[in-house]
Amino acid sequence: MLQDQKVSFSGVQPSGNLTIGNYLGAIRNFSTFSEQYKCFYCVVDSHAITVRQVPADLRRRTYETLALYMACGLDPEKNTLYVQSQVSAHAELAWMLNCFTMFGELSRMTQFKDKSAKHADNINAGLFTYPVLMAADILLYQTDVVPVGIDQKQHVELCRDIATRFNALYPDTFTIPEPIMASSGKKIMSLADPTKKMSKSDENTNAVVYILDDKDTIIRKFKRAVTDSDTVVRYAEGKDGINNLMTIYSCYTGKEFDEIEREFDGRGYGDFKLAVGEACADALAPVQARFRELMADKAYLEEMMKKGAAEASYYARKTLSKVQRKLGFVQLK
Ligand code: TRP
């Protein structure tokens, strides 16, 4: 890594299909970072097993997530793209950081509270210490910035607390990371309930547009999107559904809200919804074509995984060995 080059780290779960919320809120902005930062993008399969997975599905989704990252424009030559479980330093540092994380801190994590309510029959210790593994992911690379959705901000803040605590005991160990939010389309809402974030795990599939949905499905989902009883396409308080559709349309077309209002002046919601659906489907078509090409070439994907894991390990091992030395572990040459 160049001395003056800042590091960006982010992870995506392989546990579900990616949505346009993931795409507009995070992935689409990842590639612009590679100009500015040394970027690590990690498919977090170790995080995924905190809830039960069907092994064959987890394996397939790991390939798919990597292929999707690449199809969305992430160049594996310019970014380090890899799979978490293939770099064992993540699990090792997570253990050490567990010993510097307080029970009370983890109990306050809202995602833990939500997930333990949802998976009441499997509140395992991994679910509880999930943010510690996430802190290890970030801290291993001396990360400066973490591009995340708003729902992950609390975890990044905990990571900062852990790193600050560790540095107070063992100076100059970790860089303290900053969470950064995507500048536009940071939060795409559910099409069925626009007061809720669009979530890939939503049971109502009409609420969610997946990056890999075909054109007809995309248009159908936008047609059914929940709006309001008004008829004017206008960005305003209380018009959550229309506001969300305007945000999505703006992300895909680059148009400002007042431009969109003028474009649909005197036209109904039906026209607007169709336009949003078409803009979305057209933007996703080349991504989907590239994705299919990559998925047909597993050997190439595996080659990229190997390259990514080797690169990531190189940096991760440096931090890990520094931490081991500071903690007093005997290191053999
Ligand atoms: N927890 C994140 C999510 O569910 C994924 C993640 C794991 C992550 N490790 C990370 C994100 C490190 C940013 C940095 O979306």
Side-chain angles (χ1 to χ4, degrees), residues 9-15 22 30 40 42-45 47-48 69 84 90 111 115 130-131 133-139 143 145-149 151-152 155-156 159 197 200:
F9 183 97
S10 201
V12 160
Q13 292 271 359
S15 58
N22 299 126
F30 284 177
F40 294 89
C42 181
V43 181
V44 294
D45 57 346
H47 276 107
Y69 268 54
Q84 190 179 30
H90 288 251
Q111 192 174 73
K115 284 200 183 174
Y130 175 114
L133 178 58
M134 182 162 158
D137 299 343
I138 297 167
L139 298 176
T143 298
V145 298
V146 187
V148 279
D151 64 315
Q152 293 299 314
H155 289 162
V156 181
C159 170
K197 194 184 152 193
K200 59 189 167 197

Side-chain angles (χ1 to χ4, degrees), residues 227-234 239 242 264-270 272:
T227 49
D228 52 55
S229 55
D230 191 19
T231 51
V232 186
V233 176
R234 182 168 57 92
K239 291 173 67 79
I242 288 293
F264 293 94
D265 188 22
R267 293 162 69 186
Y269 284 176
F272 177 53

Side-chain angles (χ1 to χ4, degrees), residues 101-303:
T101 308
M102 299 301 132
F103 185 88
E105 286 176 313
L106 292 173
S107 311
R108 285 193 289 276
M109 294 293 115
T110 53
Q111 192 174 73
F112 171 69
K113 292 190 234 170
D114 293 350
K115 284 200 183 174
S116 37
K118 210 167 144 195
H119 303 277
D121 57 339
N122 182 23
I123 308 177
N124 62 75
L127 197 62
F128 189 62
T129 61
Y130 175 114
V132 183
L133 178 58
M134 182 162 158
D137 299 343
I138 297 167
L139 298 176
L140 273 176
Y141 301 93
Q142 303 295 342
T143 298
D144 296 285
V145 298
V146 187
V148 279
I150 193 83
D151 64 315
Q152 293 299 314
K153 202 166 167 229
Q154 194 185 31
H155 289 162
V156 181
E157 258 140 33
L158 177 63
C159 170
R160 287 167 59 87
D161 292 344
I162 298 170
T164 305
R165 178 175 306 137
F166 197 98
N167 282 353
L169 293 162
Y170 311 97
D172 303 321
T173 307
F174 297 122
T175 301
I176 309 294
E178 290 285 342
I180 51 174
M181 307 292 137
S183 57
S184 69
K186 63 187 93 171
K187 210 170 175 192
I188 302 299
M189 312 306 277
S190 153
L191 298 188
D193 177 358
T195 60
K196 264 184 18 196
K197 194 184 152 193
M198 184 180 283
S199 159
K200 59 189 167 197
S201 50
D202 201 314
E203 272 152 29
N204 177 359
T205 55
N206 284 324
V208 190
V209 179
Y210 294 103
I211 297 183
L212 297 174
D213 277 346
D214 60 38
K215 185 164 185 167
D216 289 349
T217 307
I218 293 175
I219 294 196
R220 179 172 48 77
K221 287 179 177 178
F222 278 108
K223 265 193 195 153
R224 291 201 189 167
V226 168
T227 49
D228 52 55
S229 55
D230 191 19
T231 51
V232 186
V233 176
R234 182 168 57 92
Y235 196 94
E237 206 173 319
K239 291 173 67 79
D240 297 320
I242 288 293
N243 294 351
N244 187 40
L245 296 180
M246 285 179 73
T247 302
I248 295 170
Y249 192 63
S250 160
C251 283
Y252 283 123
T253 60
K255 292 177 186 164
E256 303 289 342
F257 291 153
D258 54 351
E259 239 177 304
I260 300 172
E261 288 171 2
R262 265 181 272 121
E263 184 178 347
F264 293 94
D265 188 22
R267 293 162 69 186
Y269 284 176
D271 269 11
F272 177 53
K273 286 177 171 180
L274 185 64
V276 183
E278 275 174 349
C280 178
D282 290 350
L284 292 179
V287 173
Q288 296 177 352
R290 179 69 185 134
F291 172 79
R292 281 192 292 271
E293 237 171 67
L294 288 165
M295 282 305 284
D297 192 353
K298 291 265 160 54
Y300 174 71
L301 288 175
E302 283 165 10
E303 199 186 304

